[in-house]
Amino acid sequence: NAGVTQTPKFQVLKTGQSMTLQCAQDMNHNSMYWYRQDPGMGLRLIYYSASEGTTDKGEVPNGYNVSRLNKREFSLRLESAAPSQTSVYFCASIHPRGRPVGDNYGYTFGSGTRLTVV
Amino acid sequence: GEDVEQSLFLSVREGDSSVINCTYTDSSSTYLYWYKQEPGAGLQLLTYIFSNMDMKQDQRLTVLLNKKDKHLSLRIADTQTGDSAIYFCAEKARSGGSYIPTFGRGTSLIVHP
């Protein structure tokens, strides 16, 4: 099925450990995004990639790095996890023209990665 | 950055209509979206409206856009318990050559039997 796939779905880390959250989309989208969702805070943009080969900081980039490996894949890395990074992480992508086209419109989200840092 | 504001909670009785409101600040937004998030799940696109439209209807959903006041609303007719979820308003703002989506904090809709 076409869509955005995130792995893993759940993860528990100890403070100081590192890990990479994976995201892949098969819709030929140019733009990809990483968000974190915390209670009462809504969705906050961590990093985004407007197209293959480019990445930019969002609202809350500190403590994270990203890699746009190819057009399909956009990974998020925590080099030294902290309890403040306990959150639900969502990856999203959007059509190249950035507007609804047929059924492929809006931002498509993955199902999320629930990360706990202890 | 640009802000999208929405109330945090709405409680209605089953069968009533629900109206979720949103205000945004970026006048260059070309598309505005409503997303639904059920517990433990990701965000699903419910509907969208183009900025040159005033209203869009899709079955039980009606979206109203007042571009002058930068106000967006989502009306759910005949609200059912299955409509209980968090609803996010979002705008697509342009930043240079990129599209940056901005989301509100979400409105938790609680439907009582």
Side-chain angles (χ1 to χ4, degrees), chain B residues 42-60:
Chain B
L43 277 73
Q44 290 181 294
L45 180 66
L46 265 185
T47 188
Y48 68 94
I49 188 166
F50 189 45
S51 60
N52 68 354
M53 297 168 66
D54 296 324
M55 185 182 84
K56 181 179 180 182
Q57 190 151 2
D58 183 3
Q59 298 181 339
R60 291 191 297 123

Side-chain angles (χ1 to χ4, degrees), chain A residues 33 35 37 40-43 45 48 50 90 94 97-100 105-111 114, chain B residues 31 33 35 37 40-43 45 48 86 88 91-92 95 97-105:
Chain A
Y33 308 83
Y35 288 90
Q37 184 180 26
M41 300 295 290
L43 289 165
L45 184 64
Y48 67 98
F90 288 102
I94 192 169
R97 281 188 255 170
R99 67 183 185 208
Y105 55 94
Y107 299 94
T108 303
F109 282 81
S111 57
R114 283 148 182 81
Chain B
Y31 287 92
Y33 306 93
Y35 282 83
Q37 184 182 32
L43 277 73
L45 180 66
Y48 68 94
I86 302 175
F88 290 91
E91 63 173 350
K92 181 178 65 62
S95 175
S98 306
Y99 290 99
I100 308 298
T102 303
F103 289 80
R105 294 189 176 190

Side-chain angles (χ1 to χ4, degrees), chain A residues 53-74:
Chain A
T54 69
T55 60
D56 285 287
K57 295 178 180 179
E59 181 186 355
V60 288
N62 291 345
Y64 305 95
N65 284 301
V66 290
S67 295
R68 184 72 184 268
L69 304 170
N70 47 55
K71 192 170 187 179
R72 289 187 64 247
E73 298 172 289
F74 187 38

Side-chain angles (χ1 to χ4, degrees), chain B residues 80-94:
Chain B
Q80 302 297 307
T81 54
D83 294 324
S84 293
I86 302 175
Y87 291 81
F88 290 91
C89 170
E91 63 173 350
K92 181 178 65 62
R94 198 176 183 95

Side-chain angles (χ1 to χ4, degrees), chain B residues 9-78:
Chain B
F9 299 99
L10 177 64
S11 179
V12 300
R13 290 194 182 277
E14 191 174 17
D16 288 350
S17 291
S18 307
V19 179
I20 302 171
N21 294 302
C22 170
T23 58
Y24 62 98
T25 57
D26 192 335
S27 58
S28 70
S29 294
T30 52
Y31 287 92
L32 294 138
Y33 306 93
W34 283 105
Y35 282 83
K36 178 182 181 181
Q37 184 182 32
E38 294 180 349
L43 277 73
Q44 290 181 294
L45 180 66
L46 265 185
T47 188
Y48 68 94
I49 188 166
F50 189 45
S51 60
N52 68 354
M53 297 168 66
D54 296 324
M55 185 182 84
K56 181 179 180 182
Q57 190 151 2
D58 183 3
Q59 298 181 339
R60 291 191 297 123
L61 304 178
T62 303
V63 179
L64 295 177
L65 175 61
N66 181 330
K67 196 173 180 184
K68 175 177 171 289
D69 295 337
K70 299 191 184 75
H71 182 266
L72 182 73
S73 68
L74 173 70
R75 179 176 180 270
I76 305 173
D78 187 25

